[in-house]
PDB file of all heavy atoms in Angstrom:
ATOM      1  N   GLY A 131      11.208  67.969 118.858  1.00  0.00           N
ATOM      2  CA  GLY A 131      12.179  67.801 119.895  1.00  0.00           C
ATOM      3  C   GLY A 131      12.227  68.985 120.812  1.00  0.00           C
ATOM      4  O   GLY A 131      12.049  70.116 120.414  1.00  0.00           O
ATOM      5  N   LEU A 132      12.481  68.674 122.080  1.00  0.00           N
ATOM      6  CA  LEU A 132      12.819  69.706 123.055  1.00  0.00           C
ATOM      7  C   LEU A 132      14.310  69.552 123.276  1.00  0.00           C
ATOM      8  O   LEU A 132      14.846  68.474 123.416  1.00  0.00           O
ATOM      9  CB  LEU A 132      12.109  69.487 124.381  1.00  0.00           C
ATOM     10  CG  LEU A 132      10.608  69.551 124.328  1.00  0.00           C
ATOM     11  CD1 LEU A 132      10.018  69.350 125.720  1.00  0.00           C
ATOM     12  CD2 LEU A 132      10.089  70.860 123.706  1.00  0.00           C
ATOM     13  N   HIS A 133      15.018  70.689 123.248  1.00  0.00           N
ATOM     14  CA  HIS A 133      16.482  70.637 123.297  1.00  0.00           C
ATOM     15  C   HIS A 133      17.025  71.491 124.414  1.00  0.00           C
ATOM     16  O   HIS A 133      16.534  72.614 124.666  1.00  0.00           O
ATOM     17  CB  HIS A 133      17.099  71.120 122.006  1.00  0.00           C
ATOM     18  CG  HIS A 133      16.537  70.303 120.877  1.00  0.00           C
ATOM     19  ND1 HIS A 133      17.024  69.088 120.538  1.00  0.00           N
ATOM     20  CD2 HIS A 133      15.590  70.586 119.940  1.00  0.00           C
ATOM     21  CE1 HIS A 133      16.390  68.605 119.475  1.00  0.00           C
ATOM     22  NE2 HIS A 133      15.520  69.544 119.099  1.00  0.00           N
ATOM     23  N   GLU A 134      18.027  70.982 125.127  1.00  0.00           N
ATOM     24  CA  GLU A 134      18.770  71.730 126.101  1.00  0.00           C
ATOM     25  C   GLU A 134      20.264  71.518 125.778  1.00  0.00           C
ATOM     26  O   GLU A 134      20.751  70.405 125.893  1.00  0.00           O
ATOM     27  CB  GLU A 134      18.448  71.233 127.499  1.00  0.00           C
ATOM     28  CG  GLU A 134      19.195  71.937 128.619  1.00  0.00           C
ATOM     29  CD  GLU A 134      18.741  71.430 129.967  1.00  0.00           C
ATOM     30  OE1 GLU A 134      19.292  70.474 130.428  1.00  0.00           O
ATOM     31  OE2 GLU A 134      17.846  72.114 130.560  1.00  0.00           O
ATOM     32  N   VAL A 135      20.866  72.544 125.307  1.00  0.00           N
ATOM     33  CA  VAL A 135      22.283  72.458 124.899  1.00  0.00           C
ATOM     34  C   VAL A 135      23.089  73.408 125.750  1.00  0.00           C
ATOM     35  O   VAL A 135      22.718  74.594 125.881  1.00  0.00           O
ATOM     36  CB  VAL A 135      22.429  72.822 123.394  1.00  0.00           C
ATOM     37  CG1 VAL A 135      23.927  72.771 123.013  1.00  0.00           C
ATOM     38  CG2 VAL A 135      21.623  71.847 122.542  1.00  0.00           C
ATOM     39  N   MET A 136      24.144  72.951 126.334  1.00  0.00           N
ATOM     40  CA  MET A 136      24.990  73.763 127.212  1.00  0.00           C
ATOM     41  C   MET A 136      26.424  73.812 126.643  1.00  0.00           C
ATOM     42  O   MET A 136      27.200  72.902 126.866  1.00  0.00           O
ATOM     43  CB  MET A 136      25.000  73.223 128.645  1.00  0.00           C
ATOM     44  CG  MET A 136      25.765  74.073 129.586  1.00  0.00           C
ATOM     45  SD  MET A 136      25.682  73.486 131.311  1.00  0.00           S
ATOM     46  CE  MET A 136      26.761  72.069 131.276  1.00  0.00           C
ATOM     47  N   PRO A 137      26.722  74.872 125.906  1.00  0.00           N
ATOM     48  CA  PRO A 137      28.124  75.013 125.416  1.00  0.00           C
ATOM     49  C   PRO A 137      29.026  75.215 126.666  1.00  0.00           C
ATOM     50  O   PRO A 137      28.676  75.919 127.591  1.00  0.00           O
ATOM     51  CB  PRO A 137      28.073  76.286 124.578  1.00  0.00           C
ATOM     52  CG  PRO A 137      26.652  76.495 124.224  1.00  0.00           C
ATOM     53  CD  PRO A 137      25.862  75.928 125.391  1.00  0.00           C
ATOM     54  N   ILE A 138      30.149  74.544 126.621  1.00  0.00           N
ATOM     55  CA  ILE A 138      31.087  74.587 127.756  1.00  0.00           C
ATOM     56  C   ILE A 138      32.203  75.565 127.405  1.00  0.00           C
ATOM     57  O   ILE A 138      32.954  75.342 126.438  1.00  0.00           O
ATOM     58  CB  ILE A 138      31.687  73.200 128.049  1.00  0.00           C
ATOM     59  CG1 ILE A 138      30.564  72.184 128.357  1.00  0.00           C
ATOM     60  CG2 ILE A 138      32.676  73.312 129.191  1.00  0.00           C
ATOM     61  CD1 ILE A 138      29.812  72.431 129.646  1.00  0.00           C
ATOM     62  N   ASP A 139      32.303  76.622 128.185  1.00  0.00           N
ATOM     63  CA  ASP A 139      33.397  77.563 128.005  1.00  0.00           C
ATOM     64  C   ASP A 139      34.395  77.352 129.169  1.00  0.00           C
ATOM     65  O   ASP A 139      34.231  76.444 129.963  1.00  0.00           O
ATOM     66  CB  ASP A 139      32.895  79.023 127.945  1.00  0.00           C
ATOM     67  CG  ASP A 139      32.249  79.466 129.230  1.00  0.00           C
ATOM     68  OD1 ASP A 139      32.213  78.684 130.216  1.00  0.00           O
ATOM     69  OD2 ASP A 139      31.818  80.635 129.279  1.00  0.00           O
ATOM     70  N   ASN A 140      35.372  78.171 129.217  1.00  0.00           N
ATOM     71  CA  ASN A 140      36.414  78.021 130.254  1.00  0.00           C
ATOM     72  C   ASN A 140      35.847  78.144 131.680  1.00  0.00           C
ATOM     73  O   ASN A 140      36.236  77.410 132.550  1.00  0.00           O
ATOM     74  CB  ASN A 140      37.553  79.037 130.052  1.00  0.00           C
ATOM     75  CG  ASN A 140      38.389  78.694 128.864  1.00  0.00           C
ATOM     76  OD1 ASN A 140      38.398  77.571 128.454  1.00  0.00           O
ATOM     77  ND2 ASN A 140      39.071  79.661 128.326  1.00  0.00           N
ATOM     78  N   ALA A 141      34.915  79.079 131.864  1.00  0.00           N
ATOM     79  CA  ALA A 141      34.297  79.270 133.190  1.00  0.00           C
ATOM     80  C   ALA A 141      33.528  78.044 133.688  1.00  0.00           C
ATOM     81  O   ALA A 141      33.673  77.599 134.788  1.00  0.00           O
ATOM     82  CB  ALA A 141      33.408  80.516 133.193  1.00  0.00           C
ATOM     83  N   LEU A 142      32.724  77.494 132.747  1.00  0.00           N
ATOM     84  CA  LEU A 142      31.945  76.321 133.108  1.00  0.00           C
ATOM     85  C   LEU A 142      32.846  75.107 133.263  1.00  0.00           C
ATOM     86  O   LEU A 142      32.643  74.292 134.170  1.00  0.00           O
ATOM     87  CB  LEU A 142      30.881  76.011 132.056  1.00  0.00           C
ATOM     88  CG  LEU A 142      29.680  76.972 132.104  1.00  0.00           C
ATOM     89  CD1 LEU A 142      28.765  76.752 130.882  1.00  0.00           C
ATOM     90  CD2 LEU A 142      28.845  76.788 133.361  1.00  0.00           C
ATOM     91  N   SER A 143      33.843  75.009 132.455  1.00  0.00           N
ATOM     92  CA  SER A 143      34.838  73.919 132.602  1.00  0.00           C
ATOM     93  C   SER A 143      35.496  73.961 133.944  1.00  0.00           C
ATOM     94  O   SER A 143      35.629  72.921 134.637  1.00  0.00           O
ATOM     95  CB  SER A 143      35.831  73.981 131.451  1.00  0.00           C
ATOM     96  OG  SER A 143      36.757  72.926 131.568  1.00  0.00           O
ATOM     97  N   ALA A 144      35.899  75.151 134.361  1.00  0.00           N
ATOM     98  CA  ALA A 144      36.524  75.291 135.711  1.00  0.00           C
ATOM     99  C   ALA A 144      35.562  74.904 136.832  1.00  0.00           C
ATOM    100  O   ALA A 144      35.984  74.260 137.799  1.00  0.00           O
ATOM    101  CB  ALA A 144      37.007  76.715 135.828  1.00  0.00           C
ATOM    102  N   MET A 145      34.316  75.273 136.661  1.00  0.00           N
ATOM    103  CA  MET A 145      33.336  74.909 137.699  1.00  0.00           C
ATOM    104  C   MET A 145      33.185  73.419 137.784  1.00  0.00           C
ATOM    105  O   MET A 145      33.090  72.837 138.881  1.00  0.00           O
ATOM    106  CB  MET A 145      31.957  75.549 137.399  1.00  0.00           C
ATOM    107  CG  MET A 145      31.946  77.058 137.576  1.00  0.00           C
ATOM    108  SD  MET A 145      30.335  77.778 137.179  1.00  0.00           S
ATOM    109  CE  MET A 145      29.406  77.313 138.670  1.00  0.00           C
ATOM    110  N   VAL A 146      33.185  72.721 136.658  1.00  0.00           N
ATOM    111  CA  VAL A 146      33.048  71.278 136.672  1.00  0.00           C
ATOM    112  C   VAL A 146      34.274  70.657 137.343  1.00  0.00           C
ATOM    113  O   VAL A 146      34.162  69.751 138.184  1.00  0.00           O
ATOM    114  CB  VAL A 146      32.905  70.731 135.229  1.00  0.00           C
ATOM    115  CG1 VAL A 146      33.017  69.211 135.185  1.00  0.00           C
ATOM    116  CG2 VAL A 146      31.564  71.163 134.668  1.00  0.00           C
ATOM    117  N   LEU A 147      35.453  71.126 136.969  1.00  0.00           N
ATOM    118  CA  LEU A 147      36.696  70.627 137.561  1.00  0.00           C
ATOM    119  C   LEU A 147      36.770  70.833 139.061  1.00  0.00           C
ATOM    120  O   LEU A 147      37.373  70.070 139.792  1.00  0.00           O
ATOM    121  CB  LEU A 147      37.917  71.169 136.834  1.00  0.00           C
ATOM    122  CG  LEU A 147      38.103  70.717 135.397  1.00  0.00           C
ATOM    123  CD1 LEU A 147      39.226  71.470 134.703  1.00  0.00           C
ATOM    124  CD2 LEU A 147      38.375  69.216 135.330  1.00  0.00           C
ATOM    125  N   GLN A 148      36.167  71.949 139.482  1.00  0.00           N
ATOM    126  CA  GLN A 148      36.146  72.255 140.935  1.00  0.00           C
ATOM    127  C   GLN A 148      35.010  71.578 141.702  1.00  0.00           C
ATOM    128  O   GLN A 148      34.770  71.836 142.823  1.00  0.00           O
ATOM    129  CB  GLN A 148      36.092  73.758 141.135  1.00  0.00           C
ATOM    130  CG  GLN A 148      37.303  74.502 140.608  1.00  0.00           C
ATOM    131  CD  GLN A 148      37.111  76.014 140.562  1.00  0.00           C
ATOM    132  OE1 GLN A 148      36.083  76.509 140.916  1.00  0.00           O
ATOM    133  NE2 GLN A 148      38.133  76.738 140.104  1.00  0.00           N
ATOM    134  N   ARG A 149      34.268  70.767 140.925  1.00  0.00           N
ATOM    135  CA  ARG A 149      33.143  70.025 141.494  1.00  0.00           C
ATOM    136  C   ARG A 149      32.052  70.906 142.103  1.00  0.00           C
ATOM    137  O   ARG A 149      31.536  70.653 143.159  1.00  0.00           O
ATOM    138  CB  ARG A 149      33.641  68.986 142.521  1.00  0.00           C
ATOM    139  CG  ARG A 149      34.540  67.982 141.929  1.00  0.00           C
ATOM    140  CD  ARG A 149      34.877  66.877 142.958  1.00  0.00           C
ATOM    141  NE  ARG A 149      35.858  65.952 142.401  1.00  0.00           N
ATOM    142  CZ  ARG A 149      35.527  64.819 141.842  1.00  0.00           C
ATOM    143  NH1 ARG A 149      34.290  64.457 141.715  1.00  0.00           N
ATOM    144  NH2 ARG A 149      36.504  63.978 141.407  1.00  0.00           N
ATOM    145  N   ALA A 150      31.732  71.966 141.320  1.00  0.00           N
ATOM    146  CA  ALA A 150      30.663  72.857 141.779  1.00  0.00           C
ATOM    147  C   ALA A 150      29.341  72.055 141.686  1.00  0.00           C
ATOM    148  O   ALA A 150      29.236  71.069 140.953  1.00  0.00           O
ATOM    149  CB  ALA A 150      30.579  74.085 140.816  1.00  0.00           C
ATOM    150  N   SER A 151      28.356  72.501 142.469  1.00  0.00           N
ATOM    151  CA  SER A 151      27.063  71.807 142.416  1.00  0.00           C
ATOM    152  C   SER A 151      26.431  71.927 141.038  1.00  0.00           C
ATOM    153  O   SER A 151      26.664  72.882 140.308  1.00  0.00           O
ATOM    154  CB  SER A 151      26.166  72.389 143.494  1.00  0.00           C
ATOM    155  OG  SER A 151      25.721  73.681 143.138  1.00  0.00           O
ATOM    156  N   ALA A 152      25.539  71.006 140.757  1.00  0.00           N
ATOM    157  CA  ALA A 152      24.815  71.037 139.477  1.00  0.00           C
ATOM    158  C   ALA A 152      23.999  72.281 139.384  1.00  0.00           C
ATOM    159  O   ALA A 152      23.849  72.901 138.321  1.00  0.00           O
ATOM    160  CB  ALA A 152      23.930  69.779 139.349  1.00  0.00           C
ATOM    161  N   ALA A 153      23.385  72.710 140.538  1.00  0.00           N
ATOM    162  CA  ALA A 153      22.591  73.940 140.533  1.00  0.00           C
ATOM    163  C   ALA A 153      23.407  75.156 140.201  1.00  0.00           C
ATOM    164  O   ALA A 153      22.973  76.027 139.466  1.00  0.00           O
ATOM    165  CB  ALA A 153      21.909  74.109 141.914  1.00  0.00           C
ATOM    166  N   ASP A 154      24.646  75.234 140.754  1.00  0.00           N
ATOM    167  CA  ASP A 154      25.522  76.358 140.450  1.00  0.00           C
ATOM    168  C   ASP A 154      25.941  76.390 138.953  1.00  0.00           C
ATOM    169  O   ASP A 154      25.993  77.419 138.325  1.00  0.00           O
ATOM    170  CB  ASP A 154      26.748  76.369 141.351  1.00  0.00           C
ATOM    171  CG  ASP A 154      26.454  76.735 142.820  1.00  0.00           C
ATOM    172  OD1 ASP A 154      25.346  77.336 143.039  1.00  0.00           O
ATOM    173  OD2 ASP A 154      27.281  76.433 143.664  1.00  0.00           O
ATOM    174  N   ILE A 155      26.218  75.196 138.498  1.00  0.00           N
ATOM    175  CA  ILE A 155      26.653  75.074 137.061  1.00  0.00           C
ATOM    176  C   ILE A 155      25.491  75.493 136.154  1.00  0.00           C
ATOM    177  O   ILE A 155      25.656  76.241 135.193  1.00  0.00           O
ATOM    178  CB  ILE A 155      27.144  73.668 136.716  1.00  0.00           C
ATOM    179  CG1 ILE A 155      28.484  73.428 137.462  1.00  0.00           C
ATOM    180  CG2 ILE A 155      27.320  73.488 135.241  1.00  0.00           C
ATOM    181  CD1 ILE A 155      28.960  71.983 137.445  1.00  0.00           C
ATOM    182  N   GLU A 156      24.283  75.029 136.482  1.00  0.00           N
ATOM    183  CA  GLU A 156      23.109  75.377 135.669  1.00  0.00           C
ATOM    184  C   GLU A 156      22.881  76.867 135.724  1.00  0.00           C
ATOM    185  O   GLU A 156      22.606  77.502 134.683  1.00  0.00           O
ATOM    186  CB  GLU A 156      21.900  74.614 136.119  1.00  0.00           C
ATOM    187  CG  GLU A 156      20.668  74.968 135.325  1.00  0.00           C
ATOM    188  CD  GLU A 156      19.374  74.275 135.762  1.00  0.00           C
ATOM    189  OE1 GLU A 156      19.344  73.720 136.851  1.00  0.00           O
ATOM    190  OE2 GLU A 156      18.404  74.353 134.998  1.00  0.00           O
ATOM    191  N   LYS A 157      22.970  77.462 136.880  1.00  0.00           N
ATOM    192  CA  LYS A 157      22.728  78.906 137.001  1.00  0.00           C
ATOM    193  C   LYS A 157      23.730  79.674 136.150  1.00  0.00           C
ATOM    194  O   LYS A 157      23.332  80.579 135.445  1.00  0.00           O
ATOM    195  CB  LYS A 157      22.839  79.366 138.468  1.00  0.00           C
ATOM    196  CG  LYS A 157      22.560  80.866 138.627  1.00  0.00           C
ATOM    197  CD  LYS A 157      22.726  81.255 140.056  1.00  0.00           C
ATOM    198  CE  LYS A 157      22.432  82.768 140.243  1.00  0.00           C
ATOM    199  NZ  LYS A 157      22.945  83.651 139.201  1.00  0.00           N
ATOM    200  N   GLU A 158      24.967  79.301 136.202  1.00  0.00           N
ATOM    201  CA  GLU A 158      25.978  79.965 135.375  1.00  0.00           C
ATOM    202  C   GLU A 158      25.682  79.793 133.910  1.00  0.00           C
ATOM    203  O   GLU A 158      25.803  80.729 133.099  1.00  0.00           O
ATOM    204  CB  GLU A 158      27.397  79.452 135.726  1.00  0.00           C
ATOM    205  CG  GLU A 158      28.482  80.042 134.897  1.00  0.00           C
ATOM    206  CD  GLU A 158      28.693  81.532 135.129  1.00  0.00           C
ATOM    207  OE1 GLU A 158      28.321  82.036 136.184  1.00  0.00           O
ATOM    208  OE2 GLU A 158      29.257  82.158 134.196  1.00  0.00           O
ATOM    209  N   ALA A 159      25.327  78.563 133.497  1.00  0.00           N
ATOM    210  CA  ALA A 159      25.024  78.287 132.093  1.00  0.00           C
ATOM    211  C   ALA A 159      23.823  79.118 131.623  1.00  0.00           C
ATOM    212  O   ALA A 159      23.881  79.709 130.526  1.00  0.00           O
ATOM    213  CB  ALA A 159      24.812  76.788 131.889  1.00  0.00           C
TER     214      ALA A 159
END
């Protein structure tokens, strides 16, 4: 298997709620 796992912390959760771009979320992760 190839795996990509992105644990969600408070910073990433806030980015999702603020509708940040997928690229910005990926960069932060």
Side-chain angles (χ1 to χ4, degrees):
L132 298 182
H133 304 281
E134 180 175 85
V135 178
M136 183 175 76
I138 302 292
D139 66 0
N140 289 338
L142 286 171
S143 181
M145 290 179 76
V146 170
L147 291 172
Q148 294 169 1
R149 299 185 184 266
S151 71
D154 288 343
I155 292 170
E156 180 181 13
K157 181 182 181 320
E158 178 64 23

